[in-house]
Amino acid sequence: MSIEVRNITKRFGAFTAVDDVSLQVGGGELLALLGPSGSGKTTLLRMIAGLEFPDSGSILLNNEDATKHDAARRRVGFVFQHYALFRHMTIFENIAFGLRVRPRQHRLSKSDIRDKVMQLLALVQLEKHEKHFPNQLSGGQRQRIALARALAVEPTLLLLDEPFGALDAKVRKELRRWLRRLHDEIHIASVFVTHDQEEALEVADRVAVLNHGKLEQIGTPQEVYDNPANAFVYNFLGNVNLFHGRVDRGRVRISTMDSESQESTPVVDGSTLGYARPYEINISRESGGAATVHARLLHIYGVGPKVKLELQDIETEAMIEAEIERTQFVELELKQGDEVFVSPSNLRRFVEDYSI
Amino acid sequence: MTQPSIGVGNSVGARPQKNQAKRPGLLARLRGKRPGILPGFGLSLGFTLTYLSLIVLIPLSAVFLKTASLSATQFWAIVSSPRVVASYKLTYSVSLAGAAIDAVFGFLIAWVLARYSFPGKRIADALVDLPFALPTAVAGIALTSLYAPNGWLGQYLEPHGIHVVFTPLGIVVALSFIGLPFVVRSVQPVIEDLGRDVEEAAASLGANSWQTFTRIIFPAVFPALLTGFTLAFARALGEYGSVVFISGNMPMRTEITPLLIVSKLQQFDVPGATAIASVMLVSSFVLLLVINGLQAGLRGKGEDA
């Protein structure tokens, strides 16, 4: 099973929700659509499901044009953020629903439906709740039932719209790992929407990053994290420090730092931005030459194996976030208010202009 | 308010000691296991019972008291006279028909008001409540003049042999007018509450629109629809003002029970009037009890729990 989305665009009035997006999902792959709210990820998912229709572009399911097919015809399993269980039906009936509404000639016998539902209940580990109603279950359990219900019709494709969005942090983590294991077991092409980069990077085979309806980058979690296509992707995938600077005759000056330009692309003179993750920030008591920023330590967040530091560039007053090992923190004998020297071990620059 | 103030509490106390030691007091048991956040269960229950007694039970018991001045044979003669029995049949059948029509069209109106937006929606929404506010006599006169053989609507119906005014059909028209808001206002909030995602889930599971409606939407709305139907039905049973004008009040044919009661009163036959009233009262109460029980059963299935 494969899905192909070709140049899809969707507008709501003057607002372009999805702007010329193309992507492919191969058989058995788990793809995450990642983006901030309003980035069009849910709209894209709903168009793949047939719950929304694109203004232009096409959707191919198994190389067959399904752009005009409605949801019932696409045989796509959809899991909703707020579960959308049928609350007047028992758990059993919820899961059996998709099997019962089939046309008579394709419908399974009563006992076959029963076997199938019990099999699915075992898969989501909720056999005991067969006779319960949805509001007797916890959020995590409800979402598993919603998943079982979607799987009952043997969809060729599974779509999940922020499936863990309404759950608390711990259940969320458990459930997403469980989903990953389940996916490896049943091996059905799946697309899930999330705004949580940690979730996307942990669970998915590939991640598609969306912003303002545009596809910014698509690749494996490793690829997008290590080689972000642009500043937005880099910024969205984790905490980030921003250094304003200038490019002057091939040399980059950022804050008081001065370094050789490492870019392969020709560097144009002008203002520039450098990015570094908090764990890429080195801290020392002594000035390490030109490529160092003089900063004051404002706050120390010391819970856990890593210590988070909030610093302020004394010259530009820009905030810098750093994350260092506890051992190093103890060695440096850092206290609030100390003046230290900060240098990014890996400063990234993106050619196009982007503001946070 | 302490335990002894409720009669049953004393009888529980009179039982052997070991039984009482295990079980909590009646009040505590009535209250349920959780103490709840808002206090005042005893006070509010006491107030409810007192108020219901004053407003509902005392006037109603007066009906039975008056009736009691009749002997059993006299009572039976009055309540089973052919004219009265005909009026029961008419009253219940037209009320049922009126409420059923309201259930169908009220559902439709509530659906449209809850689901779509269109110009003039707020006016349409306000129009629904108008039968509540309009004096029923006005409604009766208006409907009568509309459906009269020379009226705006009647002149087109009459040539086709459809007689509305002075027939049971006319009464049904009046009662469905009176009862409509009950259905719309009971169903509308439930439809508004019904998530779109539930319909989408049904569609993605392969259900067609008919299956989605009959298996998903209708069962979810049904308890509320039943409430609206019951209210409209109960209202129709007691309706007088609008019906007297359109029915023509022909004995054995278009005479409803409330009218019969009023005419008995006008002849100062108070016991006769209360005898008929008590029959209506008991039968209606039983009917409403049954419907409420049905509804409690439906609700217990999934709404609460």
Side-chain angles (χ1 to χ4, degrees):
Chain A
M1 180 63 194
S2 66
I3 322 157
E4 194 182 340
V5 171
R6 279 189 196 155
N7 308 97
I8 231 168
T9 298
K10 174 76 181 175
R11 290 182 197 88
F12 296 109
F15 175 71
T16 306
V18 175
D19 191 359
D20 196 26
V21 169
S22 301
L23 55 85
Q24 278 187 5
V25 186
E29 190 184 25
L30 182 56
L31 176 81
L33 296 179
L34 176 68
S37 55
S39 60
K41 54 195 191 306
T42 293
T43 309
L44 179 58
L45 193 77
R46 289 171 59 84
M47 286 193 287
I48 298 173
L51 298 171
E52 211 89 66
F53 294 92
D55 294 326
S56 63
S58 53
I59 294 164
L60 283 80
L61 299 176
N62 259 348
N63 302 319
E64 189 197 340
D65 190 353
T67 317
K68 296 259 176 334
H69 295 181
D70 61 15
R73 223 180 124 182
R74 290 195 197 183
R75 303 231 316 148
V76 160
F78 201 95
V79 176
F80 294 81
Q81 183 178 3
H82 298 289
Y83 329 126
L85 293 176
F86 309 132
R87 42 179 191 177
H88 61 282
M89 291 184 191
T90 60
I91 297 308
F92 183 92
E93 286 303 319
N94 262 284
I95 299 175
F97 182 83
L99 302 171
R100 291 205 203 280
V101 296
R102 277 190 194 164
R104 206 169 289 271
Q105 63 269 27
H106 300 297
R107 206 180 296 163
L108 298 171
S109 73
K110 269 209 161 111
S111 63
D112 284 346
I113 289 180
R114 175 146 203 101
D115 291 347
K116 176 108 203 185
V117 172
M118 292 319 286
Q119 217 178 310
L120 284 160
L121 275 169
L123 185 73
V124 298
Q125 298 151 8
L126 289 168
E127 298 102 311
K128 282 185 220 142
H129 299 278
E130 174 201 349
K131 291 195 176 69
H132 289 161
F133 284 93
N135 55 9
Q136 292 171 295
L137 303 186
S138 70
Q141 289 173 328
R142 284 185 213 185
Q143 198 54 292
R144 270 144 66 195
I145 295 299
L147 190 63
R149 182 180 67 176
L151 291 173
V153 292
E154 290 173 11
T156 43
L157 168 68
L158 188 62
L159 304 174
L160 306 101
D161 183 11
E162 305 231 9
F164 317 121
L167 304 169
D168 59 74
K170 199 164 159 15
V171 178
R172 234 180 133 100
K173 215 164 196 164
E174 275 168 27
L175 210 55
R176 74 182 184 222
R177 296 207 169 134
W178 174 82
L179 177 74
R180 181 67 237 190
R181 287 196 302 273
L182 184 78
H183 182 266
D184 292 339
E185 217 172 290
I186 57 178
H187 229 70
I188 167 173
S190 310
V191 180
F192 80 103
V193 156
T194 181
H195 59 257
D196 181 345
Q197 84 284 354
E198 201 187 308
E199 192 169 292
L201 295 175
E202 187 181 306
V203 176
D205 293 317
R206 282 196 304 153
V207 178
V209 185
L210 286 139
N211 184 35
H212 295 309
K214 282 199 165 68
L215 183 65
E216 299 280 1
Q217 191 177 7
I218 184 164
T220 65
Q222 203 69 49
E223 278 166 21
V224 290
Y225 194 82
D226 292 343
N227 299 305
N230 54 41
F232 171 80
V233 175
Y234 183 77
N235 186 51
F236 195 72
L237 292 180
N239 287 338
V240 87
N241 288 302
L242 204 61
F243 296 92
H244 290 266
R246 286 193 65 77
V247 180
D248 194 12
R249 273 163 279 138
R251 292 186 71 78
V252 182
R253 277 183 57 87
I254 282 175
S255 187
T256 48
M257 295 186 290
D258 193 356
S259 65
E260 208 71 47
S261 172
Q262 291 153 2
E263 249 77 3
S264 49
T265 46
V267 183
V268 190
D269 286 6
S271 65
T272 185
L273 289 171
Y275 299 85
R277 300 254 184 241
Y279 57 79
E280 292 170 334
I281 302 278
N282 294 329
I283 293 188
S284 65
R285 284 282 181 187
E286 286 104 48
S287 168
T292 312
V293 174
H294 192 193
R296 179 176 287 118
L297 181 55
L298 294 183
H299 283 286
I300 301 165
Y301 303 97
V303 181
K306 298 233 175 175
V307 179
K308 291 190 182 109
L309 306 173
E310 199 179 294
L311 304 121
Q312 188 174 32
D313 186 332
I314 287 172
E315 191 187 335
T316 65
E317 295 193 340
M319 299 305 289
I320 302 164
E321 208 182 303
E323 208 177 271
I324 59 171
E325 297 292 335
R326 180 160 292 280
T327 47
Q328 197 198 350
F329 173 74
V330 174
E331 256 170 47
L332 287 168
E333 294 173 0
L334 290 172
K335 288 187 309 294
Q336 205 164 311
D338 282 0
E339 286 186 17
V340 291
F341 296 92
V342 168
S343 62
S345 58
N346 183 16
L347 195 65
R348 238 174 250 271
R349 297 195 308 109
F350 295 98
V351 178
E352 109 272 42
D353 199 35
Y354 170 76
S355 58
I356 293 178
Chain B
M1 213 167 272
T2 51
Q3 205 183 335
S5 68
I6 293 173
V8 193
N10 285 325
S11 69
V12 169
R15 279 182 191 160
Q17 280 297 317
K18 58 167 185 179
N19 207 3
Q20 202 196 13
K22 269 182 198 167
R23 311 189 73 178
L26 178 74
L27 206 61
R29 266 185 289 137
L30 284 177
R31 203 185 273 142
K33 280 159 201 152
R34 292 171 299 162
I37 293 160
L38 292 176
F41 171 75
L43 188 67
S44 55
L45 182 71
F47 179 79
T48 306
L49 291 178
T50 314
Y51 188 82
L52 274 177
S53 304
L54 278 174
I55 297 294
V56 182
L57 282 179
I58 293 177
L60 290 188
S61 52
V63 170
F64 291 102
L65 274 176
K66 273 279 175 218
T67 315
S69 63
L70 295 167
S71 74
T73 39
Q74 278 175 316
F75 175 79
W76 187 248
I78 294 169
V79 301
S80 66
S81 77
R83 188 172 163 191
V84 177
V85 171
S87 84
Y88 297 148
K89 282 184 189 160
L90 178 72
T91 305
Y92 277 99
S93 55
V94 291
S95 298
L96 214 59
I101 292 170
D102 283 338
V104 174
F105 292 98
F107 183 91
L108 212 70
I109 293 170
W111 180 265
V112 170
L113 289 178
R115 275 297 161 92
Y116 306 112
S117 59
F118 50 90
K121 177 177 167 171
R122 296 175 79 100
I123 295 171
D125 202 35
L127 271 177
V128 169
D129 287 328
L130 220 53
F132 273 158
L134 203 65
T136 49
V138 175
I141 294 166
L143 288 172
T144 309
S145 59
L146 268 180
Y147 287 100
N150 56 356
W152 283 358
L153 294 169
Q155 59 179 323
Y156 301 109
L157 294 173
E158 212 67 24
H160 300 285
I162 302 166
H163 309 289
V164 179
V165 171
F166 309 143
T167 66
L169 182 61
I171 309 177
V172 173
V173 169
L175 293 180
S176 54
F177 173 82
I178 296 299
L180 186 68
F182 290 104
V183 176
V184 178
R185 293 298 177 232
S186 314
V187 171
Q188 196 179 349
V190 179
I191 297 176
E192 276 165 2
D193 242 27
L194 211 67
R196 279 289 166 96
D197 54 354
V198 180
E199 283 164 55
E200 290 175 348
S204 76
L205 291 168
N208 58 37
S209 19
W210 174 247
Q211 286 168 324
T212 306
F213 181 78
T214 53
R215 286 164 183 258
I216 304 300
I217 295 167
F218 192 72
V221 178
F222 186 67
L225 188 64
L226 197 61
T227 304
F229 172 81
T230 314
L231 289 171
F233 179 59
R235 172 70 206 271
L237 286 176
E239 177 59 16
Y240 171 80
S242 59
V243 177
V244 285
F245 293 99
I246 204 165
S247 72
N249 311 321
M250 288 171 279
M252 306 298 291
R253 285 190 46 223
T254 60
E255 194 175 46
I256 54 164
T257 313
L259 182 85
L260 214 55
I261 295 169
V262 172
S263 60
K264 285 225 184 276
L265 283 174
Q266 278 165 351
Q267 296 154 27
F268 301 105
D269 180 9
V270 177
T274 54
I276 301 172
S278 61
V279 171
M280 278 300 276
L281 209 66
V282 171
S283 54
S284 305
F285 186 69
V286 169
L287 214 70
L288 294 179
L289 212 61
V290 169
I291 300 177
N292 274 345
L294 206 72
Q295 215 176 351
L298 280 175
R299 197 163 283 165
K301 253 180 82 179
E303 298 290 310
D304 312 313

